[in-house]
Amino acid sequence: MLHSEDTVEVGKNLRDETVFTTKQTIELEESVVASIESLKSLGGKEVSDWVKESAVSRAERRNGFSFSEEQKAAIDDLLQPGAIRVLTGKAGTGKTTVLRPVVEAYEEAGYIPVGTAFQGKVSELLAHDLEIPSYTLDQFRKYWDRYDALQENMPTLKGQALVVARKE
């Protein structure tokens, strides 16, 4: 399979092992990135500076260290208004550490953070480590397809009746 013309060498991982992917995966990722860039320009929910600073301070006390300027910039970016926010980085670079105060700030502001990832294992880690609902991108797409279908087929359902219908 490594000699297939669809296989592309990505580079080295942290263990200095060569990593490969497929052209289709690269195309999918590029498509997702384009969609994300489009969504980032849309309006979204805002978290106050006070809530953000409070969540960061609590996380720093809990962790026993201060966030770096790069980490603080990532937290600030993730808490900006927009239809979607994205955090990327290699394994072991502190993404989960950065996400903890972001999740807390959104929850404190009254929102429900949801995680997504390409891989199921990463999605499971998000759900476990951050205690939030998390889905693979494919699961998330299917969820929203079902939601859209419910909205079209049952436009008059509201409140508890809509919640029950969504579970079915």
Side-chain angles (χ1 to χ4, degrees), residues 67-80 98:
F67 287 107
S68 70
E69 290 306 312
E70 184 179 24
Q71 289 171 317
K72 287 180 181 178
I75 292 167
D76 189 52
D77 180 67
L78 292 166
L79 292 171
Q80 293 301 308
V98 164

Side-chain angles (χ1 to χ4, degrees), residues 13-30:
N13 65 14
L14 295 176
R15 288 174 271 180
D16 202 37
E17 301 165 330
T18 304
V19 178
F20 297 90
T21 191
T22 63
K23 289 179 182 178
Q24 292 85 357
T25 300
I26 290 173
E27 289 169 4
L28 174 63
E29 289 176 352
E30 288 172 350

Side-chain angles (χ1 to χ4, degrees), residues 46-58 72 75-77 79-81 101 105 108-109:
E46 190 165 344
V47 174
S48 74
D49 287 341
W50 182 87
V51 169
K52 175 181 67 173
E53 291 165 13
S54 173
V56 168
S57 293
R58 281 193 310 271
K72 287 180 181 178
I75 292 167
D76 189 52
D77 180 67
L79 292 171
Q80 293 301 308
E108 190 173 334

Side-chain angles (χ1 to χ4, degrees), residues 6-148:
D6 286 335
T7 303
V8 178
E9 183 177 330
V10 175
K12 301 276 187 182
N13 65 14
L14 295 176
R15 288 174 271 180
D16 202 37
E17 301 165 330
T18 304
V19 178
F20 297 90
T21 191
T22 63
K23 289 179 182 178
Q24 292 85 357
T25 300
I26 290 173
E27 289 169 4
L28 174 63
E29 289 176 352
E30 288 172 350
S31 169
V32 169
V33 168
S35 296
I36 288 167
E37 290 304 318
S38 174
L39 287 171
K40 284 172 87 172
S41 67
L42 300 175
K45 307 300 182 190
E46 190 165 344
V47 174
S48 74
D49 287 341
W50 182 87
V51 169
K52 175 181 67 173
E53 291 165 13
S54 173
V56 168
S57 293
R58 281 193 310 271
E60 287 179 331
R61 282 193 306 276
R62 188 174 50 246
N63 294 337
F65 64 83
S66 295
F67 287 107
S68 70
E69 290 306 312
E70 184 179 24
Q71 289 171 317
K72 287 180 181 178
I75 292 167
D76 189 52
D77 180 67
L78 292 166
L79 292 171
Q80 293 301 308
I84 190 168
R85 305 311 298 169
V86 178
L87 177 65
T88 61
K90 293 183 178 182
T93 58
K95 294 180 301 296
T96 302
T97 302
V98 164
L99 286 172
R100 281 193 184 102
V102 171
V103 166
E104 289 177 16
Y106 274 120
E107 288 174 340
E108 190 173 334
Y111 303 113
I112 301 171
V114 176
T116 63
F118 281 108
Q119 300 168 322
K121 186 65 176 170
V122 176
S123 178
E124 289 173 14
L125 288 171
L126 283 172
H128 179 265
D129 292 349
L130 298 174
E131 299 176 355
I132 61 172
S134 185
Y135 308 93
T136 64
L137 289 172
D138 190 52
Q139 289 170 325
F140 203 65
R141 181 185 55 80
K142 288 177 183 172
Y143 169 81
W144 281 111
D145 287 348
R146 272 194 4 243
Y147 177 81
D148 288 343

